């Protein structure tokens, strides 16, 4: 965890070029003790409570847990998409380090490019608009809700380029930002030059040239997602497309500017099984091509095992375990993670049911100091009902869990007889 306070204005470039260092797992996002609460009539909902985890550059990280555990609120806070009020940022940081191109080798995955750093919890709405789509993008469970029904697919994908690639498109159309005619068209200072050209009643030739470039950008973004006949799809409306096609459009939109991080919140839950596999393959292929990190939010452990490098397990607003996927699946530490894995069906059965863990996620209103899993845990003891376990590194140190089973009474200064025992049957 970094201890230095960081802000958007505090961009620190740290040149340390070495081609040999390329590919090392640099941290891209460090979620550090993040808390997001909601004020409600019943009290304060601790939706995310002291969550800490990391996502490395180009890594695929699975964020798993039952419904209501705080996965979506955590991920949406990366993009300033948690409505405030009622949400309150109650503490912690999300340190984001977008990649910079290395001046020596021009690769964006070389450490020589340095990394800017800023705390996403401190960005203004205006600053978020720059980050969204360009550096961090998100795809949602239900693309029908994310796409605007009254705009064509082309208009919606073009929006990302209008936001982030305006100057590049003007240059590709052979238009100069110094052209006095263009400047006059954009006399309304609030409109962007490139948008103003497209809307101007005169300037027909310039407008046509620019529109051709915009269409080219959009068609290419759609083609990347292997959509057949992208030029035709551009003129369609969302209701004319299948669920799988709409999800491809969202992926095209999300990856149009090759962001550093793609957040995929249950991206395949609304799709049938064969389409799910195609969409996952597609995300993986585009991720490799653009060296994009992916945060997969899912309750489907089988999916996470197949596609993720790291797994973060959330329970009742807290991270209870994080580790490399193979390690966590081979040797889950937290009884909740064990319960989830016990619920992963093997060969030929449907994926991802969580019914093996009895009971429900507790209410997150004004929680007291205790392990939030204690009402469902077969190992629970007096200590678990009275103290909150902290996320602690185990062997190997990148495997961390928050559970008193792995703590020593004397280190914590607690009575040994009140500690949980590993000998009891697992939940
Ligand atoms: N706008 C809101 N107002 C009040 N509580 C909310 C709001 N959004 C989410 N929550 C609460 O935050 C908790 C975490 O929700 P969420 O992150 O959506 O869970 P998950 O994605 O893991 O299913 C839940 O208890 C949910 O009820
Ligand atoms: S043993 Fe105690 S601390 Fe560990 S999960 Fe069970 S209740 Fe929580
Ligand atoms: Mg969710």
């Amino acid at each position: 965890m970094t201890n230095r306070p960081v802000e958007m204005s505090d961009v620190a470039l740290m040149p340390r070029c070495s081609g040999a260092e390329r590919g090392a797992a640099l941290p891209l996002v460090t979620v550090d003790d993040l808390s997001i609460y909601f004020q409600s009539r019943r009290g304060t909902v601790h939706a995310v409570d002291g969550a800490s985890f990391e996502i490395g550059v180009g890594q695929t990280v699975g964020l798993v847990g039952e419904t209501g555990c705080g996965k979506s609120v955590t991920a949406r806070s990366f993009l300033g998409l948690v409505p405030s009020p009622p949400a309150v940022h109650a503490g912690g940081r999300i340190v984001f380090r977008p990649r910079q191109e290395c001046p020596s080798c021009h690769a964006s995955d070389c450490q020589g490019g340095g990394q800017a750093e800023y705390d996403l919890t401190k960005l203004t709405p205006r600053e978020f608009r720059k980050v969204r789509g360009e550096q961090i993008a998100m795809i949602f469970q239900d693309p029908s809700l994310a796409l605007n029904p009254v705009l064509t697919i082309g208009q919606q994908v073009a929006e990302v380029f209008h936001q982030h690639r305006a100057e590049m498109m003007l240059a590709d159309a052979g238009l100069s930002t110094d052209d006095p005619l263009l400047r006059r068209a954009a006399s309304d200072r609030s409109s962007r030059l490139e948008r103003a050209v497209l809307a101007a009643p005169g300037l027909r030739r310039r407008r046509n040239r620019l529109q051709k470039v915009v269409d080219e950008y959009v068609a290419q973004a759609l083609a990347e997602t292997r959509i057949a006949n992208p030029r035709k799809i551009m003129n369609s409306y969302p209701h004319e497309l299948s669920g799988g096609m709409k999800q491809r459009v969202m992926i095209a939109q999300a990856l149009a500017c090759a962001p550093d991080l793609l957040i995929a919140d249950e991206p395949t839950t609304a799709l049938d099984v064969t389409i799910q596999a195609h969409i996952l393959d597609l995300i993986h292929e585009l991720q490799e091509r653009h060296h994009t990190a992916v945060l997969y939010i899912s309750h489907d452990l089988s999916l996470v095992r197949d596609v993720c490098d790291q797994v973060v397990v959330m329970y009742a607003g807290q991270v209870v375990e994080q580790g490399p996927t193979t390690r966590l699946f081979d040797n889950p530490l937290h009884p909740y993670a064990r319960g989830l894995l016990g619920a992963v069906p093997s060969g030929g059965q449907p994926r991802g049911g969580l019914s093996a863990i009895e009971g429900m996620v507790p209410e997150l209103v004004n929680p007291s100091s205790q392990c939030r899993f204690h009402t469902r845990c077969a190992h629970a003891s007096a200590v678990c009902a009275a103290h909150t376990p902290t996320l602690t590194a185990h062997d190997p140190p990148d495997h961390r869990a928050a559970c008193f089973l792995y703590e020593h009474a004397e280190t914590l200064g607690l009575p040994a007889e009140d500690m949980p025992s590993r000998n009891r049957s697992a939940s």
Side-chain angles (χ1 to χ4, degrees):
M1 305 290 146
T2 168
N3 294 319
R4 199 169 63 79
V6 283
E7 295 178 358
M8 187 87 164
S9 54
D10 177 26
V11 172
L13 291 177
M14 301 169 288
R16 44 190 167 151
C17 178
S18 157
E21 285 182 291
R22 194 175 310 155
L26 294 170
L28 177 68
V29 183
T30 305
V31 178
D32 184 8
D33 205 18
L34 181 71
S35 294
I36 296 165
Y37 300 165
F38 291 93
Q39 301 299 350
S40 77
R41 256 180 280 158
R42 290 185 302 127
T44 306
V45 180
H46 290 222
V48 180
D49 214 359
S52 296
F53 63 93
E54 273 192 0
I55 304 170
V57 170
Q59 233 178 21
T60 308
V61 174
L63 185 56
V64 302
E66 289 159 288
T67 301
C69 282
K71 307 181 297 295
S72 295
V73 171
T74 302
R76 282 168 175 264
S77 64
F78 284 29
L79 283 168
L81 294 176
V82 186
S84 173
V88 180
H89 169 231
R93 303 177 304 164
I94 306 169
V95 181
F96 178 54
R97 305 173 189 88
R99 290 169 290 169
Q100 312 280 314
E101 189 178 282
C102 174
S104 306
C105 67
H106 300 289
S108 57
D109 61 342
C110 171
Q111 292 196 13
Q115 286 180 289
E117 276 195 3
Y118 36 88
D119 181 354
L120 295 173
T121 66
K122 294 208 168 75
L123 298 197
T124 62
R126 192 186 158 94
E127 287 168 333
F128 265 125
R129 276 199 291 279
K130 284 192 203 148
V131 171
R132 255 180 240 143
E134 169 86 35
Q135 292 170 340
I136 305 178
M138 188 155 181
I139 53 175
F140 302 89
Q141 180 176 339
D142 189 348
S144 309
L145 298 177
L147 292 170
N148 188 330
V150 299
L151 295 178
T152 64
I153 297 300
Q155 286 169 313
Q156 297 187 61
V157 176
E159 189 52 37
V160 188
F161 294 121
H162 290 313
Q163 274 289 337
H164 302 294
R165 295 289 182 266
E167 280 183 21
M168 207 184 274
M169 291 196 295
L170 279 171
D172 285 358
L175 301 174
S176 162
T177 47
D178 297 329
D179 182 336
L181 274 175
L182 300 193
R183 289 257 150 230
R184 211 172 305 142
S187 57
D188 171 5
R189 284 174 180 274
S190 64
S191 59
R192 289 162 166 271
L193 187 64
E194 161 263 4
R195 278 186 209 265
V197 173
L198 290 174
L203 311 175
R204 189 167 56 88
R205 277 178 45 211
R206 289 174 175 78
R207 191 178 67 223
N208 290 346
R209 254 158 56 199
L210 183 56
Q211 188 61 57
K212 221 171 134 188
V213 170
V214 174
D215 289 348
E216 194 55 51
Y217 273 54
V218 172
Q220 197 176 331
L222 289 171
E224 279 228 336
T225 66
R226 291 191 243 120
I227 281 182
N229 205 347
R231 297 265 171 192
K232 183 169 168 236
I233 297 297
M234 279 163 59
N235 296 318
S236 310
Y237 287 87
H239 74 268
E240 298 175 86
L241 307 184
S242 67
M245 289 282 267
K246 278 186 270 206
Q247 194 56 286
R248 279 173 201 270
V249 169
M250 276 231 296
I251 293 170
Q253 237 178 348
L255 296 181
C257 295
D260 296 301
L261 175 66
L262 173 70
I263 299 171
D265 193 348
E266 311 260 6
T268 58
T269 311
L271 306 174
D272 70 50
V273 178
T274 43
I275 308 292
Q276 281 182 14
H278 290 312
I279 294 294
L280 290 176
D281 284 349
L282 176 65
I283 294 174
H284 183 65
E285 182 193 315
L286 295 176
Q287 170 187 19
E288 298 252 292
R289 194 178 310 156
H290 300 298
H291 206 58
T292 299
V294 177
L295 179 65
Y296 261 113
I297 299 173
S298 184
H299 58 265
D300 185 340
L301 272 276
S302 318
L303 180 155
V304 165
R305 181 171 47 195
D306 289 347
V307 303
C308 294
D309 306 309
Q310 287 272 328
V311 181
V312 176
V313 182
M314 276 191 93
Y315 183 73
Q318 299 178 321
V319 173
V320 295
E321 185 159 348
Q322 177 180 14
T325 306
T326 318
R327 177 83 196 163
L328 198 139
F329 273 81
D330 287 351
N331 183 29
L333 298 173
H334 197 281
Y336 178 62
R338 283 196 226 144
L340 287 184
L341 296 183
V344 177
S346 49
Q349 289 170 26
R351 287 166 147 199
L354 296 170
S355 55
I357 308 173
E358 280 183 23
M360 307 268 290
V361 179
E363 286 256 315
L364 304 178
V365 181
N366 303 331
S368 47
S369 176
Q370 55 187 202
C371 170
R372 294 185 186 171
F373 191 57
H374 85 280
T375 51
R376 302 171 77 182
C377 179
H379 300 276
S381 67
V383 162
C384 309
H387 299 275
T388 307
T390 52
L391 202 61
T392 313
H394 293 271
D395 187 29
D398 56 352
H399 192 179
R400 301 184 297 155
C403 176
F404 289 121
L405 276 175
Y406 309 98
E407 303 280 358
H408 297 288
E410 50 279 21
T411 322
L412 299 170
L414 296 168
E417 62 276 17
D418 288 352
M419 294 294 282
S421 157
R422 292 191 212 180
N423 296 330
R424 248 174 276 173
S425 61
S427 59

